[in-house]
Each structure stands twice: as structure tokens, then as C-alpha cells.
């Protein structure tokens, strides 16, 4: 008897492949620049930092909400959100940041078919990026 994956497992799988995509997108393969502190760090210190917390599903998988962030800013400085905001403004402009902030409390549910589609989408993007390195 086959067991079905639950939404929680799909969410976890999407979190993992999406985070890998963000880390690759924001690096040159060896190093990255932290969105918050601006320091260039080795890839081993790159995390997928969220400007608006992952608890908010409307922005959890938004590519502009998620950026390469060093462990120091993401973990030890609880996201370093003030500096993160400045980094986002430099990268995307203040209008985009305002849109992300407005989306914070939007209600969003992702159903299994959408999870599967997004997982495949980001797996394909990750593969393409790795092939180009």
C-alpha cells in the first residue's frame, strides 16, 4: 500500500529546494554577498533569509522576499531586518519592499498540486544553475 505525502512533507521539500535555488541565485558559486550586512562570505555561510517571516505563507516562497543571508545576520541577529530592508531597497527598490510588507497578512494556502508544481519548477532551476557553474 502506497503512503501519500502530507502537505507538511511537500512544504518541507519545497522549502529545501527553494532555499537551494536562492543560495545559488545569490552566489557566484564560491561566495555570496549578505543582503543585510553586505559582507562577502563563503557559500558555507549562506542561508535563505526571509525578510517577511516564513510563518507568512503569502511571502514564504516569494523570490524577492528571500535572499542570501549570512548565518550571523539570519540566526544570531534574528534576521537583521532593518539592514535587510535597506538591502532589499538597494536590490529591488522601495516599491517592491512596500508590496512585500503589504502582502504580509494575506491569507494563502498551497494545495498539494501547487506544491508539486513548485517543487519541480525549482528542481529544474537548480539543475540548470548547477549545469552552468
Amino acid at each position: 500500500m502506497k503512503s501519500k505525502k502530507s502537505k507538511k512533507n511537500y512544504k518541507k521539500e519545497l522549502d529545501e529546494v527553494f532555499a537551494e535555488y536562492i543560495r545559488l541565485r545569490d552566489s557566484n558559486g564560491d561566495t555570496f554577498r549578505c543582503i543585510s550586512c553586505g559582507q562577502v562570505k563563503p557559500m558555507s555561510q549562506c542561508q535563505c533569509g526571509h525578510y517577511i517571516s516564513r510563518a507568512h505563507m503569502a511571502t514564504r516562497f516569494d523570490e524577492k522576499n528571500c535572499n542570501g543571508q549570512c548565518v550571523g545576520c539570519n540566526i544570531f541577529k534574528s534576521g537583521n531586518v532593518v539592514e535587510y530592508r535597506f538591502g532589499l531597497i538597494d536590490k529591488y527598490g522601495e516599491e517592491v519592499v512596500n508590496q512585500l510588507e503589504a502582502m504580509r497578512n494575506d491569507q494563502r494556502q498551497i494545495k498539494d498540486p501547487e506544491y508539486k508544481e513548485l517543487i519541480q519548477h525549482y528542481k529544474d532551476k537548480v539543475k540548470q544553475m548547477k549545469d552552468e557553474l
Side-chain angles (χ1 to χ4, degrees):
M1 186 161 143
K2 283 186 176 179
S3 65
K4 289 186 175 183
K5 281 190 175 181
S6 69
K7 279 186 185 179
K8 186 174 182 181
N9 288 341
Y10 283 133
K11 184 191 293 184
K12 182 178 184 212
E13 188 175 350
L14 180 54
D15 275 335
E16 289 170 3
V17 70
F18 180 77
E20 184 177 11
Y21 164 73
I22 295 297
R23 290 190 303 269
L24 287 169
R25 180 198 70 187
D26 291 352
S27 75
N28 65 11
D30 297 319
T31 61
F32 77 103
R33 182 175 303 278
C34 176
I35 188 76
S36 296
C37 68
Q39 293 182 33
V40 174
K41 305 254 182 158
M43 278 300 294
S44 62
Q45 292 185 30
C46 187
Q47 296 187 341
C48 175
H50 291 69
Y51 174 59
I52 306 295
S53 165
R54 287 175 9 138
H56 300 274
M57 288 302 291
T59 54
R60 184 177 186 133
F61 301 109
D62 186 302
E63 291 183 19
K64 291 179 180 166
N65 184 56
C66 302
N67 295 275
Q69 191 175 40
C70 72
V71 174
C73 287
N74 195 27
I75 302 296
F76 302 116
K77 292 183 180 177
S78 301
N80 197 0
V81 293
V82 171
E83 296 302 320
Y84 198 138
R85 191 175 197 282
F86 290 130
L88 283 178
I89 291 170
D90 287 345
K91 189 171 183 176
Y92 298 114
E94 191 162 6
E95 185 176 328
V96 168
V97 176
N98 291 336
Q99 288 171 348
L100 288 170
E101 292 169 346
M103 292 170 57
R104 174 181 281 134
N105 293 317
D106 288 354
Q107 296 301 310
R108 172 122 199 270
Q109 288 186 346
I110 300 176
K111 299 202 183 295
D112 288 355
E114 186 178 0
Y115 272 117
K116 291 176 189 177
E117 184 179 309
L118 287 168
I119 289 166
Q120 189 58 55
H121 172 75
Y122 285 106
K123 281 182 176 180
D124 292 345
K125 285 182 122 172
V126 165
K127 182 183 181 320
Q128 180 182 1
M129 293 172 90
K130 285 182 173 180
D131 288 347
E132 292 173 1
L133 285 178

